[in-house]
Amino acid sequence: MKTTIIIPTFNEAENLPKMVSALFSLSVPDLSLLVVDDNSPDGTGQMAEDFKRAYPGKVDVLHRAGKMGLGTAYLEGFKKAMADGAEAMLQMDCDFSHPPEKIPEMIQSLPGWDGVIGSRYIAGGSVDKDWPLWRKGLSAWGNFYARTILGLKNRDVTGGFRLWKRETLLAMPLNRIRSSGYVFQVELCYVATRLGLRFTEVPIYFADRRWGKSKMNRRIMMEAALRVWQLLGAYRDL
Ligand SMILES: Nc1nc2c(ncn2[C@@H]2O[C@H](COP(=O)(O)OP(=O)(O)OP(=O)(O)O)[C@@H](O)[C@H]2O)c(=O)[nH]1
Ligand SMILES: [Mg+2]
């Protein structure tokens, strides 16, 4: 199965080389990487070009003019990966919060399901053990908030470590997705659930980023809090 890992990047120069070697040391056949870089000032995009040359046919890069958010980065990434023939697409962050070593298990779990969620909130999954209580609480609260308002059955609906079958993404009206920050993950999950698509969850340990800076900010959090309510009205027809 031709599997493309899509990684959006903004200033991940410290993480990208480590990520590329972690991914290509996995024993997964037919794996390729698509980096979607938003003109990172730290040169991540150029670095990705260098990897593209070093791993011909295995690494590709989509360059965008500036920081335009996670949501559109993934939508453009999905489109390109599908045009290039991907049969499955995996979303993940570049900061090692999503453990690359879980990818084989996610791929093995895919048959019989429309997608696989790398999950912090099922038995065996967890968030960084060194996070202060408020941070653990905020993460759990955000997930509970979205699940409850939208009536979602999956346990981790805010995480961004997910494997999709090509057919699943093709069945979804991706041109209607409007979220820009990480609430994009909730919107995808909600649309898929409205369509009756089904996901299995594989437990992951979500470690805090060790290198580079977080892109989380108050605007992205506000967007998430409000957007969840908007979603209720936006997809009544599905
Ligand atoms: N292309 C692109 N990538 C982005 C953008 N914002 C974040 N990213 C990438 O998306 C992934 C997740 O971003 P993080 O900064 O880790 O955000 P987060 O995981 O929500 O926050 P932390 O828990 O603090 O790490 C990383 O690979 C980022 O480089 C963006 O606007 N454009
Ligand atoms: Mg992160």
Side-chain angles (χ1 to χ4, degrees), residues 7 29 51 60 79 107 133 136 150 153 160 174 176 193:
I7 301 192
F51 284 119
D60 208 347
K79 208 180 275 179
I107 292 175
L133 203 58
K136 286 181 179 157
L150 298 171
K153 294 286 179 281
L174 296 179
R176 288 171 61 179
T193 303

Side-chain angles (χ1 to χ4, degrees), residues 142-156:
N143 193 56
F144 171 78
Y145 178 91
R147 286 184 70 226
T148 309
I149 292 168
L150 298 171
L152 297 168
K153 294 286 179 281
N154 285 116
R155 308 299 304 185
D156 191 338

Side-chain angles (χ1 to χ4, degrees), residues 93 95 97 206-209 214:
D93 292 354
D95 60 0
S97 287
F206 182 97
D208 202 4
R209 71 158 63 237
S214 171

Side-chain angles (χ1 to χ4, degrees), residues 12-86:
E12 300 288 1
E14 283 169 286
N15 286 308
L16 188 63
K18 298 182 184 77
M19 184 52 77
V20 169
S21 51
L23 294 177
F24 290 123
S25 63
L26 296 172
S27 61
V28 175
D30 222 351
L31 194 68
S32 61
L33 169 63
L34 174 60
V35 175
V36 186
D37 185 72
D38 280 4
N39 201 10
S40 298
D42 75 350
T44 305
Q46 185 49 50
M47 197 177 255
E49 279 298 327
D50 297 341
F51 284 119
K52 179 176 172 173
R53 222 164 305 122
Y55 293 84
K58 286 280 168 201
V59 176
D60 208 347
V61 198
L62 241 172
H63 296 279
R64 308 201 305 165
K67 192 170 186 318
M68 287 182 274
L70 209 70
T72 54
Y74 271 122
L75 293 173
E76 289 183 38
F78 288 150
K79 208 180 275 179
K80 175 157 176 52
M82 282 195 267
D84 293 341

